[in-house]
Amino acid sequence: MRHTGTPGKHITRFAVTSLLLSPLLLVGCTSTPQKVVSVSTNVKSPVEQPVFQKEITPEHKLVEAKKVWIETRNKAQRDTLLLEAAELYIANQKPLLAQQVLYEVKQDGVSTANQSAYALLMAKIYVNDPDASPQSLLTMLESVSDQSQFAVEKAHLQTQLFIREGNYGAAANSLLKTDITDEQKVEQIWAWVTSITLSSLDDVSSQYPALSPFVSLRKLTQEYRFKPEQLAANLRNFKRVYAGHSLGKAFPKNVDSATQLSRPSIDSIAVLLPLSGRLGATGNTIKNGIMAAYYQSIEDNQSERDLPQLSFVDTTDKNVESIVSAIGEAKFVIGPLLKDNVERIVPALPTGVNVLALNRFDNVQQAMGELNRTTDLLENQDTSANADNVERKPLSEQKTTEQSSAVQSVLTKQAPKEHTMANQPVAANFFGLAPEDEAKQLAKLIFNKGFRAPIVIAEQSSLYMRMDDTFKAHWETLNKAEGKRRTNITSVSFNDSNSLREGITSALDVAQSNERINQIEYMTNDEVYNMPRSRRDIDAIIAFASPQDTELLNPIIEASLNPLDGQPIPVYATSRSMDYDSGKNQWRDLKNIHFIDMPWLMPQHKWQDLAQTVDQAFTAQSTMQKRLFAFGYDAYELLPQLGILNTLPYLRHEGLTGSLSLNNHGEVERQQPRAIIRNENVEMLTE
């Protein structure tokens, strides 16, 4: 373990030794004591005397240690007092002084009796030091027995160190051994367990048996997520089984809310889409996806009796009033599609409606906050007359008495004048295929893979520049979370093939390398047998460009990289750079490119029968049409699941467009699988 110190800024080894040996220390330290611990001293007297408080300082402990050593030469007792001094320095926010005391103890050899206390103090000092290795500290703490007086303190330190490592299973296991309340344990451990991927849960349960009840609860909610009545029954049984466990004493609040859900009764669904005009083809392709999901549900249920009635409303050139009128009595709405229509229509929907908009506000939180403030003002004007008539219905008409903090965002509107009761909320969620979301996912993906110095190449168009801006903003956020003040990004923008080539060669420092070679040849009048060398600090290349420009990009990058420099630099792109209509030659030009895209467009997915049916019904669908079809299909399947997804936001729906969940603003977050082009084919990656 490294001990840091700078003479003049903190106490040196010589100074500590002086403190241990100086007979004048007691006089000096008692003049300006630093209060840390108060110890009661009862003075025996025939007359009742008040209790006096004696202030204990680190310097007092150092003096005691010196006295013990001079009088008894008892090393173990002396070192115990030195360790107590170090602990008081830590409590006084003086870790450098504590380091020096511990250094003295280590120099003379740590006795077996003091090994646990020494390890704990070292971990305390360095637990939050970004330069200290968490693994080294964890190894040191292994010497502390779980049955010793230090067990609880050890568990707290291990929890912090495992968090630094990102090992949340181990952190949760350590947190169970601490002395915090059951409510605090359950809240934090449940947050960690629900952040772990489903595929890793069995490994976590096997490695940390104490977490098995949490893992079992997570699996239970996953299994019955779309069967609310069965979920509630199984959760009641779970509570009985684990009545004596922390989970039985402090059940997760969002799971408790889930026990109060009921299956939504969806009699009719109004779908708001542009079905004519310039966007008619787009709207009708989404409609085809919705209808395919509808007919698939008939096949799955073996009956049409329980299915809702679908009505499609063409929003092209329609005003808000006519669209709202066309919705009629439907309590469930899919759409509208255009952002402008979302902003106009959603706040105007009839009260008690559940809507899954196919786009979202630029700032959902701000927009909905303004609407809620407007409604609060209207309701406060007539609270006394309306209070008894209010009946608020949460999403999917679910029977719940308490909403968790992650429950859906609520939109409200002014009631028609003839209504006398307060407004009931419109439960709104937002589902879109925003390119910015893919840029965020790509930033997180390559950051988690350890890349820190990418080149970001962006085509100069509105779409790709938006993705470029989003990527850089999220990259900065990720770096700040890791404690880095600056982001090491090299930016390249282009508008044609020439500027693309120039930008890449300049970013890779190839042009400068060529200039240096030419300069040497000129000065020596001899030919220099050397190859241009590319920068070695670059570890990844990110492309935000059209499919056509991405095909040009890859050969330029390959030509600019010196094969003698070592491993090739990986190139990453989003679905916006992929077009499955151009034939097999494009895969040759895109070889080795990593990208993210919808599962529905991957060659191997779990909907092969559906894909065959769709291919027969809609021949020669373009790549964009396939994406829009998947979008409509997932929208229909999501609608009845919104209640449980809002209540338990860690749950996901594995859809055609990706792995879907809801954030606390009611927005659908979409994670797409990763793939690579190999041997002129698309190959999915699972790691």
Side-chain angles (χ1 to χ4, degrees):
M1 181 60 61
R2 180 172 60 85
H3 293 264
T4 59
T6 303
K9 290 188 177 181
H10 60 83
I11 196 165
T12 63
R13 181 185 173 191
F14 175 78
V16 173
T17 305
S18 298
L19 283 172
L20 297 178
L21 300 177
S22 173
L24 301 176
L25 175 65
L26 184 59
V27 175
C29 71
T30 54
S31 61
T32 55
Q34 296 172 349
K35 182 177 179 181
V36 177
V37 179
S38 295
V39 178
S40 298
T41 304
N42 295 321
V43 181
K44 294 184 179 180
S45 170
V47 181
E48 183 82 7
Q49 297 291 330
V51 176
F52 295 97
Q53 301 293 317
K54 182 179 179 181
E55 296 173 341
I56 304 298
T57 69
E59 289 79 11
H60 284 138
K61 293 294 181 181
L62 294 178
V63 170
E64 287 185 52
K66 171 197 164 185
K67 183 178 179 181
V68 165
W69 181 246
I70 291 174
E71 294 179 355
T72 68
R73 285 295 190 267
N74 187 323
K75 180 179 182 297
Q77 189 177 355
R78 179 200 67 183
D79 288 354
T80 297
L81 290 166
L82 291 177
L83 293 176
E84 289 175 2
E87 185 167 17
L88 290 171
Y89 275 132
I90 294 173
N92 274 332
Q93 305 296 313
K94 294 186 176 182
L96 294 178
L97 294 175
Q99 287 177 27
Q100 295 301 327
V101 174
L102 292 176
Y103 181 77
E104 292 294 333
V105 174
K106 183 181 180 183
Q107 286 294 97
D108 202 25
V110 182
S111 65
T112 302
N114 286 316
Q115 189 64 51
S116 292
Y118 175 83
L120 282 170
L121 291 173
M122 288 293 289
K124 269 187 178 182
I125 291 174
Y126 290 102
V127 66
N128 293 315
D129 186 343
D131 296 325
S133 165
Q135 191 53 54
S136 297
L137 294 172
L138 286 166
T139 301
M140 182 179 292
L141 287 173
E142 288 177 2
S143 63
V144 181
S145 171
D146 287 337
Q147 278 70 49
S148 70
Q149 59 180 320
F150 306 112
V152 171
E153 196 167 7
K154 170 188 175 182
H156 278 290
L157 290 165
Q158 285 178 319
T159 301
Q160 295 178 67
L161 292 167
F162 283 129
I163 291 172
R164 281 184 55 191
E165 285 193 323
N167 187 346
Y168 297 113
N173 186 63
S174 294
L175 192 67
L176 274 176
K177 303 172 186 176
T178 65
D179 56 354
I180 64 175
T181 66
D182 287 323
E183 289 79 7
Q184 292 172 316
K185 286 179 182 178
V186 169
E187 181 181 5
Q188 184 59 75
I189 293 173
W190 185 240
W192 283 332
V193 169
T194 54
S195 72
I196 297 171
T197 60
L198 281 171
S199 58
S200 303
L201 284 179
D202 287 337
D203 291 339
V204 169
S205 182
S206 175
Q207 190 172 0
Y208 309 109
L211 297 179
S212 294
F214 291 91
V215 172
S216 297
L217 181 60
R218 167 83 186 274
K219 287 183 174 180
L220 191 153
T221 56
Q222 181 71 27
E223 181 180 359
Y224 296 103
R225 62 193 185 281
F226 306 135
K227 300 174 181 177
E229 291 82 3
Q230 294 183 44
L231 175 62
N234 279 276
L235 288 176
R236 286 193 294 271
N237 185 56
F238 182 92
K239 287 182 178 181
R240 286 193 292 269
V241 172
Y242 291 100
H245 190 271
S246 295
L247 270 174
K249 302 172 185 175
F251 208 61
K253 294 179 181 178
N254 57 358
V255 180
D256 251 339
S257 295
T259 64
Q260 302 172 49
L261 298 178
S262 61
R263 187 188 302 274
S265 177
I266 305 179
D267 298 322
S268 61
I269 301 173
V271 183
L272 313 181
L273 290 170
L275 300 175
S276 60
R278 181 174 60 89
L279 293 173
T282 297
N284 278 287
T285 304
I286 296 172
K287 175 183 176 181
N288 291 337
I290 292 173
M291 292 303 300
Y294 180 81
Y295 288 122
Q296 183 65 46
S297 63
I298 293 176
E299 184 176 330
D300 293 342
N301 295 332
Q302 301 295 318
S303 170
E304 298 183 38
R305 183 173 52 193
D306 298 327
L307 293 177
Q309 178 182 352
L310 284 178
S311 61
F312 290 87
V313 179
D314 186 358
T315 58
T316 304
D317 297 330
K318 298 286 198 316
N319 59 35
V320 174
E321 289 74 17
S322 61
I323 293 173
V324 171
S325 176
I327 290 173
E329 298 300 318
K331 294 298 182 183
F332 292 84
V333 172
I334 296 176
L337 177 65
L338 302 181
K339 183 174 294 186
D340 287 346
N341 281 341
V342 172
E343 294 173 348
R344 292 187 309 122
I345 295 171
V346 171
L349 288 173
T351 56
V353 166
N354 304 284
V355 59
L356 177 61
L358 300 181
N359 212 315
R360 63 194 186 203
F361 298 117
D362 287 329
N363 190 327
V364 173
Q365 188 176 17
Q366 179 181 345
M368 295 169 65
E370 291 174 357
L371 287 166
N372 284 328
R373 283 193 295 274
T374 301
T375 301
D376 289 342
L377 179 62
L378 291 169
E379 291 182 349
N380 289 337
Q381 291 175 354
D382 196 17
T383 303
S384 59
N386 297 330
D388 294 337
N389 296 321
V390 176
E391 179 189 355
R392 295 191 176 274
K393 298 181 181 179
L395 188 66
S396 303
E397 297 184 335
Q398 54 206 27
K399 299 183 181 72
T400 175
T401 59
E402 180 181 348
Q403 299 291 331
S404 70
S405 61
V407 174
Q408 77 284 349
S409 303
V410 176
L411 289 175
T412 55
K413 75 171 196 73
Q414 183 176 358
K417 291 182 180 179
E418 62 271 17
H419 285 202
T420 58
M421 69 180 197
N423 301 308
Q424 297 173 12
V426 172
N429 288 272
F430 306 88
F431 182 26
L433 302 181
E436 291 88 348
D437 294 347
E438 295 192 36
K440 283 184 180 180
Q441 183 183 342
L442 203 57
K444 185 176 180 181
L445 169 66
I446 69 167
F447 189 88
N448 289 343
K449 290 182 71 65
F451 299 123
R452 293 298 181 270
I455 293 178
V456 181
I457 302 170
E459 184 178 332
Q460 290 180 359
S461 71
S462 173
L463 171 66
Y464 299 110
M465 296 307 290
R466 279 163 47 203
M467 298 178 77
D468 178 54
D469 290 342
T470 301
F471 178 93
K472 290 173 181 174
H474 197 58
W475 187 259
E476 182 177 357
T477 300
L478 293 169
N479 276 272
K480 283 182 178 178
E482 203 177 61
K484 292 182 171 60
R485 295 185 178 181
R486 62 184 296 268
T487 57
N488 192 9
I489 284 183
T490 302
S491 295
V492 174
S493 62
F494 70 94
N495 53 22
D496 56 31
S497 58
N498 289 332
S499 60
L500 174 61
R501 186 180 301 276
E502 290 172 3
I504 292 174
T505 55
S506 176
L508 290 171
D509 208 21
V510 174
Q512 291 87 335
S513 182
N514 272 320
E515 288 177 4
R516 289 190 292 270
I517 293 170
N518 292 336
Q519 186 178 17
I520 294 172
E521 288 179 346
Y522 176 78
M523 294 173 64
T524 62
N525 204 27
D526 290 323
E527 183 177 357
V528 178
Y529 293 95
N530 202 348
M531 295 180 64
R533 303 191 71 82
S534 52
R535 288 169 57 184
R536 297 190 178 186
D537 60 322
I538 297 299
D539 53 15
I541 296 174
I542 316 302
F544 298 119
S546 67
Q548 296 75 24
D549 284 327
T550 306
E551 290 180 41
L552 296 174
L553 168 71
N554 208 33
I556 293 174
I557 293 173
E558 287 190 341
S560 300
L561 293 174
N562 186 348
L564 301 179
D565 283 350
Q567 293 295 322
I569 300 175
V571 181
Y572 288 84
T574 69
S575 69
R576 305 286 172 155
S577 296
M578 296 294 128
D579 187 348
Y580 299 81
D581 307 326
S582 301
K584 203 163 186 178
N585 287 341
Q586 70 166 342
W587 304 131
R588 179 191 61 210
D589 295 331
L590 295 173
K591 66 179 180 180
N592 298 325
I593 282 190
H594 299 251
F595 67 98
I596 55 176
D597 208 340
M598 293 182 181
W600 179 241
L601 293 178
M602 297 290 106
Q604 299 296 325
H605 57 67
K606 62 181 182 180
W607 305 279
Q608 296 299 324
D609 291 342
L610 174 63
Q612 185 176 358
T613 302
V614 171
D615 287 341
Q616 293 172 354
F618 309 107
T619 57
Q621 274 192 327
S622 68
T623 299
M624 180 53 70
Q625 286 175 321
K626 290 177 181 177
R627 292 195 174 109
L628 292 172
F629 175 91
F631 185 35
Y633 192 98
D634 281 355
Y636 181 85
E637 291 215 317
L638 271 177
L639 191 64
Q641 301 175 18
L642 294 176
I644 189 69
L645 292 177
N646 272 301
T647 307
L648 303 179
Y650 60 86
L651 294 178
R652 310 188 75 87
H653 170 70
E654 302 302 325
L656 275 61
T657 60
S659 182
L660 309 177
S661 61
L662 287 172
N663 64 23
N664 59 358
H665 301 314
E667 298 171 305
V668 176
E669 293 188 343
R670 187 166 59 101
Q671 292 292 314
Q672 299 183 103
R674 186 161 62 92
I676 189 172
I677 309 299
R678 284 182 180 151
N679 301 319
E680 301 186 17
N681 286 297
V682 177
E683 180 181 324
M684 283 190 68
L685 298 173
T686 56
E687 75 275 11

